[in-house]
Amino acid sequence: MSLEPPNKTRDCAVVIGVGASQGIGAAVCHRFAKEGLKVYVAGRTFQKIEAVAAEIHANAGEAVAFRLDAEDIHQVQALFDTITSQNERITAVIHNVGGNIPSIFYAARCRFLMICGNPHFYQLIWFLKAA
């Protein structure tokens, strides 16, 4: 049973582009969890993102593994729809997709990013690999 009121907004962070548990994306996930945020661990390979989420849970954090292809706008939108349906406030979005391939986030306009989140979307952090 949760001690939080049912309508309380929960702060969360979204990390897109999480691979191996020793990578930068995983380290960012762990840091956000350590700060008390619920972390959406997003990436293409479910086994990898699930392992990172399990590590966070093992350290008393809260994480959700969310499989998506960052190049598919519908999958990205589904992630943000899921978050907003949970009455959660997005505190940070980290885009850590590598491989030097173009991403919808590189060309995204602010309006796209705002409709992905909710009205409480107040901070956006771009974490991009150098080309």
Side-chain angles (χ1 to χ4, degrees):
M1 185 164 128
S2 176
L3 298 177
E4 291 185 17
N7 293 328
K8 183 173 181 191
T9 301
R10 175 91 162 97
D11 287 333
C12 68
V14 178
V15 183
I16 299 173
V18 177
S21 60
Q22 73 274 14
I24 293 171
V28 172
C29 290
H30 285 286
R31 179 62 183 179
F32 282 135
K34 184 177 178 181
E35 295 299 321
L37 295 171
K38 178 178 180 179
V39 181
Y40 282 84
V41 182
R44 288 186 300 192
T45 308
F46 190 74
Q47 294 82 359
K48 291 179 180 180
I49 59 175
E50 180 62 27
V52 172
E55 291 169 0
I56 291 169
H57 288 145
N59 289 304
E62 189 175 0
V64 175
F66 199 99
R67 194 222 167 275
L68 63 71
D69 179 345
E71 297 302 311
D72 185 325
I73 194 167
H74 301 291
Q75 291 180 25
V76 173
Q77 185 65 57
L79 168 61
F80 287 96
D81 289 346
T82 297
I83 294 167
T84 57
S85 72
Q86 302 292 323
N87 196 32
E88 295 173 330
R89 177 176 48 212
I90 301 169
T91 302
V93 175
I94 306 299
H95 181 261
N96 186 47
V97 176
N100 296 322
I101 51 177
S103 170
I104 59 172
F105 282 92
Y106 294 144
R109 296 193 170 162
C110 188
R111 172 132 176 80
F112 166 75
L113 298 171
M114 292 306 289
I115 61 174
C116 284
N118 61 33
H120 301 291
F121 192 159
Y122 63 87
Q123 182 179 0
L124 175 64
I125 301 172
W126 288 101
F127 189 79
L128 305 171
K129 283 188 167 182

